[in-house]
Amino acid sequence: MSELVGLLLAGSAPGGELSEIAGRSAVQALPVANRPLIAHALEAMRDCGIREVGVLVSPDTLGEMEALAGDGSEHGLQVGYIPDSARPGLVPALAAAASFVGERSVLVYRGDGLLTGPLAPAAEEFRRIGPDAMLLAVRPPRHAGGALAGRRLLHLVGDRTLPRSEHVLAGAHFFTAPVVEAATRLLAAGGRPTIAEALGVVLDEGGDIETRWVDGWWHCDGTVDRLLEANRIVLDALETSLDDVDVSAAHIEGRASIHPTAVLERSTVRGPAAIGAGAVLLDTFVGPYTSIGDNVRLEGAEIQHSIVLPGATIRHPGGRLESSLVGPEATIGRDFALPAALRLRVGRRADVSLS
């Protein structure tokens, strides 16, 4: 089989309210376990043995993606950028990347999502059996396993919105050059061709299409709860990293990744949890599924199942924070002066729950 390259789709529109809270304009820049979504996608590709990735960007996302991914060397990759303003969809994406892909095979990965399991086994199978395409579809909970025949799956999924009871595509797929060529021809002919139509052309020309089930695909829907779900998915696979960390004045339970420059005094971290560089935890409890960003300061706080972004400060909030997203440089605290009062500075469509 020809060389396998990566195509990361990062041309989505700004992430709306969630991106405003997180201080990021592009969905792919949203933080999950202290790292942007694009970093998780790039490393999933690297783990498949891919060494060259083209990032498909729009004018709105180019600058931020370049700042986050650079030339890819941080992730062991060679990364280039493919500016394009085409409408969303796999067919326009493949057509826009045709020159980059050339005669090679390509793993297409949506940058606004996460595969909930490893991708490398599928890449190994794609290389081994050599089909023209391998589609990954999300397994319904009631399904016991197995794979659908290619033609049947194409009738069910394509590029359209389907009822919950039907099978849907995940956000990662493998294609060869003939599929890219078919997509390019269809798009040039006009209309709004779907990936099902492009694969139908390949099948009619004697090609081979395979489908495989995956356990899940997470994608961003612009809500805080959905971002917290992604944080949980990534932290579930977290490996403990405490090298050179001074935990003599702290108590660590379960899996935790703590940066060597973090300071923990009279604090408990119950994993899975991630603590970023320069973070300071004083008299604090950090519970499971929590990511504490770089240079965050926590004093007298209890927090779990939450994300605290870089530079934020939380001092003696007076209750446990749960299922929360705290934006960069934000400050949460209590003023002990009398008379006692609540003082809030709340942005548009914020959600504040006091108990």
Side-chain angles (χ1 to χ4, degrees), residues 194-259:
T194 67
I195 192 61
E197 292 174 288
L199 293 176
V201 170
V202 174
L203 287 169
D204 291 341
E205 294 174 351
D208 179 27
I209 310 299
E210 295 286 336
T211 63
R212 294 293 181 270
W213 294 111
V214 294
D215 290 330
W217 168 261
W218 173 92
H219 71 279
C220 181
D221 68 356
T223 66
V224 172
D225 286 344
R226 193 71 167 162
L227 186 64
L228 292 174
E229 181 184 349
N231 198 57
R232 177 187 59 76
I233 290 168
V234 174
L235 289 178
D236 261 336
L238 183 74
E239 295 183 1
T240 294
S241 176
L242 301 176
D243 294 343
D244 301 320
V245 179
D246 182 2
V247 293
S248 59
H251 182 61
I252 312 298
E253 302 175 2
R255 291 173 288 113
S257 176
I258 303 177
H259 195 276

Side-chain angles (χ1 to χ4, degrees), residues 112-232:
D112 63 349
L114 291 169
L115 201 64
T116 58
L119 185 57
E124 292 173 5
E125 185 176 13
F126 176 70
R127 289 186 177 100
R128 179 174 55 83
I129 64 178
D132 289 285
M134 178 182 287
L135 295 175
L136 303 185
V138 178
R139 188 201 315 272
R142 68 182 184 278
H143 198 281
L148 291 178
R151 290 183 183 272
R152 182 182 173 199
L153 181 61
L154 297 182
H155 288 305
L156 287 173
V157 294
D159 267 348
R160 58 195 178 90
T161 302
L162 300 174
R164 291 180 182 273
S165 61
E166 294 184 291
H167 309 301
V168 295
L169 288 175
H173 309 287
F174 300 89
F175 301 114
T176 57
V179 179
V180 179
E181 293 167 5
T184 303
R185 293 200 309 269
L186 285 174
L187 195 65
R192 305 185 65 171
T194 67
I195 192 61
E197 292 174 288
L199 293 176
V201 170
V202 174
L203 287 169
D204 291 341
E205 294 174 351
D208 179 27
I209 310 299
E210 295 286 336
T211 63
R212 294 293 181 270
W213 294 111
V214 294
D215 290 330
W217 168 261
W218 173 92
H219 71 279
C220 181
D221 68 356
T223 66
V224 172
D225 286 344
R226 193 71 167 162
L227 186 64
L228 292 174
E229 181 184 349
N231 198 57
R232 177 187 59 76

